[in-house]
């Protein structure tokens, strides 16, 4: 389900995303590990590799890009209110060649929050705790919404969302 919108303009809420389409210009060098890419690459080149008939998943890469905005709320509990084991947050990323929705993983989010999802849920009980948790989440979201730099990403399968494993 990797949906990528072509173009160099930053993605915005009104931008229509379309299914991944190869661009025909791949500048990737594969490593000896299946799905590995050496150096920093472009999202468009990652899309080309993913669309290739001989693509091996998961595909791991580093891209230099920007988080253009948040596409949802921090996920730390399920619909019944029970805490999740790991955090996640959907964001819009782009690198000047393509824009796509990506999921920030637990390993990216945990250093900002400094506690497990269960501990976060416990800390948010009561007015003072809730205010502290909201301030922490707001600070984390402000940083992430303006991040530009290298991102280590993976595409687990052709139908999966891009996952951001590491910033910097």
């Amino acid at each position: 389900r990797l949906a990528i919108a072509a173009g160099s303009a930053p993605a915005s809420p009104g931008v229509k995303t379309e299914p991944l389409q190869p661009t025909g210009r791949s500048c990737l060098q594969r490593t000896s590990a299946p799905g590995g890419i050496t150096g920093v690459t472009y999202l468009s080149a990652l899309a080309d590799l993913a669309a290739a008939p001989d693509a091996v998943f998961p595909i791991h890469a580093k891209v230099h890009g920007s988080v253009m905005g948040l596409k949802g709320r921090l996920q730390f509990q399920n619909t019944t209110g029970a805490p999740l084991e790991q955090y996640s947050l959907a964001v819009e990323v782009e690198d000047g060649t393509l824009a796509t929705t990506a999921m920030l993983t637990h390993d990216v989010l945990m250093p900002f929050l400094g506690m497990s999802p269960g501990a976060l849920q416990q800390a948010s009980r009561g007015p003072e705790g809730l205010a502290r948790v909201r301030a922490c989440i707001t600070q984390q979201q402000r940083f992430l919404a303006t991040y530009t730099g290298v991102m280590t990403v993976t595409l687990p399968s052709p139908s999966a969302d891009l996952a951001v494993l590491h910033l910097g």
Side-chain angles (χ1 to χ4, degrees):
R1 265 190 9 192
L2 181 62
I4 297 182
S8 59
S12 65
V15 170
K16 180 181 175 188
T17 58
E18 300 192 12
L20 176 66
Q21 297 295 321
T23 63
R25 31 163 221 208
S26 181
C27 62
L28 302 179
Q29 297 175 331
R30 293 185 192 207
T31 64
S32 57
I37 300 171
T38 60
V40 176
T41 191
Y42 297 103
L43 288 172
S44 61
L46 182 59
D48 288 342
L49 182 62
D54 63 342
V56 177
F57 293 90
I59 299 172
H60 306 285
K62 288 188 179 189
V63 296
H64 187 279
S66 300
V67 175
M68 299 308 296
L70 307 176
K71 297 211 49 142
R73 301 178 76 126
L74 175 69
Q75 300 301 307
F76 67 94
Q77 62 186 10
N78 65 22
T79 55
T80 65
L84 298 172
E85 291 183 26
Q86 297 192 350
Y87 295 111
S88 66
L89 179 64
V91 296
E92 186 79 17
V93 296
E94 69 92 22
D95 70 347
T97 66
L98 293 174
T100 188
T101 299
M103 294 301 293
L104 296 179
T105 62
H106 181 79
D107 291 338
V108 172
L109 297 168
M110 183 65 181
F112 290 102
L113 301 169
M115 62 183 87
S116 70
L120 180 74
Q121 187 180 42
Q122 289 292 324
S124 66
R125 295 206 169 121
E128 289 179 19
L130 184 58
R132 279 194 307 269
V133 167
R134 282 186 178 158
C136 179
I137 291 173
T138 299
Q139 178 182 3
Q140 168 253 342
Q141 289 176 335
R142 280 189 190 134
F143 169 78
L144 293 172
T146 61
Y147 177 80
T148 296
V150 175
M151 297 178 252
T152 304
V153 299
T154 188
L155 183 59
S157 71
S159 61
D161 286 330
L162 189 67
V164 178
L165 305 175
H166 186 328
L167 298 175

